[in-house]
């Protein structure tokens, strides 16, 4: 059974983690390979404008499969082997998803635990159901965030809140997540996907190529100097000015009508 269920409606992809029996765990299955393939496919398909990521069942994702971690007790599995397993395994998800140029909306339907929380932080926008909770819980099972969470979470909620969550491992509610900026909306459970789709439609109404460049600038801006980002922005802007969508937007503005993008 595939881990990801993918549905398409125009330029919007709704991607559902579909193994509720494992709490949508990201390890011990094909989740990594499927996320990597999904991102590769979307990167090459210019007609995809927005991706919505959610989970089936009552849980968004429990992150790593804790029961599967017992195999690390085997002395034959050395630290070097485990390190390489992380590199070639779950770390491939942030390498693929976080770097994806298409905007990603995360519709968090329930608990997002450990790597499940970090997965949501790889997305651009997070909308939470009132049933959602969030925990950077690695310390509670005696491990560290092995999937990039120590880089991702502080960039979303700031270092103080990220440290509090990582050091205690305690879960926060959807309301608390809204207060600290982890999510931008909290809605009743039955309104989660409609809210995500309404936002996706607003995004998809804009030119896809420019949208991808805008996301790339936001990503680069998190690490680049201002001078470097200005240089990248100038190059992207030169490309944007020559697109048919920009030409259509300017003409539509002058003619006082809605633009029709390609």
């Amino acid at each position: 059974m595939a881990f990801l269920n993918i549905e398409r409606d125009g330029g919007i992809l709704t991607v559902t983690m579909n193994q509720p029996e494992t709490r949508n765990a990201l390890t011990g299955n094909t989740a990594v390979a499927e996320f990597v393939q999904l991102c590769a496919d979307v990167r090459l398909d210019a007609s995809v404008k927005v991706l919505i990521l959610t989970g089936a069942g009552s849980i968004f994702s429990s992150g790593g499969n804790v029961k599967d971690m017992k195999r690390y007790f085997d002395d034959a599995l050395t630290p070097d082997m485990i390190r390489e397993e992380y590199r070639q395994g779950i770390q491939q998800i942030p390498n693929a998803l976080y770097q994806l140029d298409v905007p990603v909306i995360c519709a968090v339907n329930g608990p997002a635990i450990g790597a499940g929380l970090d997965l949501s932080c790889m997305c651009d926008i997070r909308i939470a159901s009132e049933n959602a909770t969030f925990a950077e819980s690695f310390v509670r099972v005696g491990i560290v965030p092995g999937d990039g969470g120590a880089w991702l979470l502080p960039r979303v909620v700031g270092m103080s809140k990220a440290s509090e969550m990582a050091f205690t491992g305690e879960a926060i509610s959807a309301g608390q997540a809204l207060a600290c900026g982890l999510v931008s909306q909290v809605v009743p459970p039955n309104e989660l996907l409609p809210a995500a789709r309404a936002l996706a439609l607003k995004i998809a109404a804009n030119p896809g190529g420019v949208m991808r460049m805008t996301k790339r600038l936001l990503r680069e801006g998190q690490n680049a100097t201002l001078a470097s980002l200005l240089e990248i922005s100038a190059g992207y802007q030169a490309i944007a000015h020559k697109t048919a969508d920009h030409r259509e937007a300017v003409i539509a503005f002058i003619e006082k009508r809605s633009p029709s993008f390609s």
Side-chain angles (χ1 to χ4, degrees), residues 72-224:
Y72 294 125
F73 301 166
D74 187 347
D75 290 339
L77 200 56
T78 67
D80 282 344
M81 294 167 66
I82 296 172
R83 180 176 61 179
E84 193 60 28
E85 181 179 307
Y86 271 79
R87 288 170 170 168
Q88 301 303 320
I90 198 168
Q91 290 184 356
Q92 293 301 311
I93 297 181
N95 279 332
L97 186 61
Y98 185 82
Q99 297 297 335
L100 187 64
D101 285 339
V102 172
V104 182
I105 300 169
C106 190
V108 186
N109 54 296
I113 308 300
L117 166 58
D118 296 340
L119 176 65
S120 75
C121 291
M122 297 170 204
C123 304
D124 303 292
I125 301 168
R126 285 158 295 282
I127 299 175
S129 159
E130 293 171 343
N131 293 336
T133 56
F134 302 84
E136 189 75 343
S137 57
F138 298 93
V139 69
R140 292 203 163 189
V141 288
I143 58 175
V144 301
D147 61 338
W151 189 93
L152 293 158
L153 188 59
R155 282 167 167 77
V156 176
V157 300
M159 185 59 75
S160 180
K161 189 62 177 180
S163 297
E164 178 185 326
M165 293 177 69
F167 296 162
T168 67
E170 291 181 349
I172 63 173
S173 68
Q176 291 171 311
L178 180 63
C180 71
L182 179 55
V183 302
S184 56
Q185 295 183 49
V186 176
V187 298
N190 63 335
E191 296 179 17
L192 179 64
L193 285 179
R197 179 163 177 78
L199 181 56
L201 286 169
K202 291 180 182 180
I203 295 171
N206 295 309
V210 171
M211 190 65 61
R212 293 187 183 210
M213 288 192 289
T214 300
K215 175 170 174 176
R216 177 52 51 191
L217 286 176
L218 288 169
R219 286 287 192 249
E220 293 298 325
Q222 291 186 296
N223 301 292

Side-chain angles (χ1 to χ4, degrees), residues 3 16-25 54-63 107-113 116-117 129 131-133 192:
F3 180 75
T16 305
M17 295 180 286
N18 194 30
Q19 287 187 356
E21 67 278 7
T22 67
R23 296 160 57 92
N24 296 323
T54 192
S58 60
I59 294 177
F60 176 71
S61 175
S62 61
V108 186
N109 54 296
I113 308 300
L117 166 58
S129 159
N131 293 336
T133 56
L192 179 64

Side-chain angles (χ1 to χ4, degrees), residues 29 47 229 261:
N29 53 18
S47 66
L229 190 71
F261 296 124

Side-chain angles (χ1 to χ4, degrees), residues 35-60:
F35 268 114
V36 170
Q37 187 61 56
L38 167 68
C39 293
D41 292 343
V42 170
R43 189 175 296 113
L44 295 174
D45 187 350
S47 66
V48 177
K49 290 189 171 183
V50 192
L51 192 153
I52 298 171
L53 176 64
T54 192
S58 60
I59 294 177
F60 176 71

